[in-house]
Amino acid sequence: MAGPLTVPWMPPHDPGTPALSVVDMHTGGEPLRIVLAGCPEVVGPTLLAKRRYMRQHLDHVRRRLMFEPRGHRDMYGAVLVPSELPDAHLGVLFLNNEGYSSMCGHAVLALGRFALDFGLVPAPPSDAQEALVNIHCPCGLVAAFVECEGGRSRGPVRFHSVPAFVLATDFLVDVPGRGKVVVDIAYGGAFYAFVSAEKLGLDVCSAKMGDLVAAASAVTEAVKAQFKINHPDSEDLAFLYGTILTDGKDTYNEEPTTNICVFADEQVDRSPTGSGVTARIALQYHKGLLELNQTRAFKSSATGSVFTGKAVREAKCGDFKAVIVEVSGQAHYTGYSTGQ
């Protein structure tokens, strides 16, 4: 009988193309591909400058990681970079099928576990039950709190958002082929349009995914054409990321409320969407439908996974009244790979 098979750490490959090492995770079913090694240096004095540099000079890395044959059109990624903020443990650039987002809650939940387990933050005391990980996202500094035992992550993660606010309520948008639709626009690190799926003739819990995607995309394009997005801190943040279709159950209830997020280039979030939950909490608080520290559960119509969220305190973003939102969810490791 032949002896055990011995193979090199990596098959023959083109030495002119750097190998990329990644760790794959998911939060609520939504994937996250974290680059460990192989990405060229991302240049820039600030995180937003690094985001612009990567878009202009290193977009081939995003395409290699996100698209087939290594990924798929709904893959999501994270490149870790140094931060200019003294309180940040790490900086991150988020990758999707269209480009580079300003915030990603499901990724922050996963990166909290990753940063603790891979030694990117000081080891907590052995008896600590939670570890703090400060993550500098393009939208700003986000604090993640990771449940731990013996210095290792063990379960749910929660984060405190950047100030989340409402940009517009009851905005009437003319959606081609669907008529005039009333939407709300809110910010949770990224801007989303919110509309009850029922207003588009759909049930967010039972409609075909293709129909939900088509409806949400039509709303996104209509809002982009008819409403000027602005952010008081930076023009880099002033863009509509996508549309979130809801079940219309915005008044507080102990039962989960269901939504589906369609963002970037018709990319579907398998999770309830961390930045979307943040923005939706801000919207409900703004409308007087939710009180501070009143926890709501949000369910993804794609997978049934659940995040919880609550507004923990009031804040300001420029002249906007805002809230800091806490979002909680469970992240999991799914694999490690190295290749071209």
Side-chain angles (χ1 to χ4, degrees):
M1 179 181 293
L5 181 65
T6 301
V7 296
W9 74 275
M10 187 176 172
H13 61 283
D14 179 5
T17 304
L20 290 167
S21 296
V22 301
V23 168
D24 283 338
M25 301 183 71
H26 82 85
T27 311
E30 176 69 359
L32 180 68
R33 176 160 288 170
I34 305 167
V35 180
L36 281 179
C39 181
E41 181 184 4
V42 185
V43 178
T46 67
L47 191 69
L48 287 176
K50 289 181 172 71
R51 181 169 171 263
R52 291 191 293 270
Y53 180 90
M54 187 156 190
R55 180 191 292 118
Q56 295 167 8
H57 302 285
L58 299 176
D59 198 54
H60 61 281
V61 175
R62 178 188 67 86
R63 295 194 301 270
R64 284 174 63 195
L65 290 167
M66 296 298 99
F67 296 139
E68 295 187 26
R70 303 169 187 86
H72 52 81
R73 67 168 290 105
D74 290 329
M75 179 57 75
Y76 205 93
V79 173
L80 305 185
V81 296
S83 167
E84 73 273 16
L85 301 182
D87 293 335
H89 293 114
L90 65 150
V92 59
L93 301 177
F94 299 121
L95 319 178
N96 57 50
N97 71 1
E98 181 182 56
Y100 304 85
S101 60
S102 54
M103 173 57 184
C104 180
H106 93 273
V108 166
L109 295 171
L111 286 168
R113 289 198 71 177
F114 174 85
L116 178 61
D117 293 339
F118 279 72
L120 302 184
V121 296
S126 58
D127 60 347
Q129 296 183 336
E130 196 171 60
L132 170 66
V133 181
N134 286 326
I135 302 173
H136 185 188
C137 305
C139 64
L141 192 64
V142 175
F145 304 90
V146 185
E147 280 196 19
C148 61
E149 184 175 20
R152 302 280 292 182
S153 71
R154 68 172 185 178
V157 182
R158 59 191 178 94
F159 72 80
H160 284 184
S161 71
V162 296
F165 61 90
V166 175
L167 188 60
T169 58
D170 300 326
F171 177 71
L172 190 63
V173 60
D174 189 1
V175 182
R178 299 175 188 270
K180 295 186 182 299
V181 180
V182 175
V183 305
D184 299 317
I185 302 170
Y187 177 81
F191 284 102
Y192 296 96
F194 291 88
V195 60
S196 170
E198 186 179 15
K199 294 180 180 178
L200 298 164
L202 297 169
D203 184 331
V204 74
C205 298
S206 62
K208 293 180 180 179
M209 186 59 66
D211 293 338
L212 294 171
V213 170
S217 298
V219 171
T220 296
E221 293 308 310
V223 173
K224 285 181 177 179
Q226 299 169 45
F227 187 91
K228 170 64 175 174
I229 298 288
N230 63 83
H231 191 284
D233 292 340
S234 173
E235 278 299 307
D236 287 277
L237 307 176
F239 63 96
L240 187 70
Y241 193 32
T243 291
I244 296 179
L245 303 180
T246 77
D247 59 8
K249 298 176 181 178
D250 290 321
T251 302
Y252 175 75
N253 193 297
E254 292 184 357
E255 294 298 317
T257 174
T258 301
N259 56 226
I260 187 74
C261 176
V262 181
F263 65 98
D265 182 13
E266 297 191 332
Q267 189 162 343
V268 177
D269 197 329
R270 272 76 168 158
S271 81
T273 309
S275 56
V277 166
T278 300
R280 199 171 171 204
I281 287 281
L283 181 61
Q284 292 172 358
Y285 184 77
H286 176 86
K287 290 186 173 184
L289 304 175
L290 194 67
E291 299 177 0
L292 288 178
N293 292 305
Q294 199 168 37
T295 300
R296 289 211 70 181
F298 297 82
K299 180 187 289 187
S300 164
S301 74
T303 63
S305 61
V306 175
F307 288 170
T308 61
K310 61 182 178 180
V312 294
R313 65 180 183 273
E314 294 183 338
K316 294 280 286 184
C317 187
D319 293 330
F320 290 99
K321 292 181 179 180
V323 285
I324 302 300
V325 176
E326 179 179 294
V327 177
S328 301
Q330 176 71 62
H332 303 270
Y333 292 100
T334 57
Y336 166 83
S337 62
T338 298
Q340 289 189 303

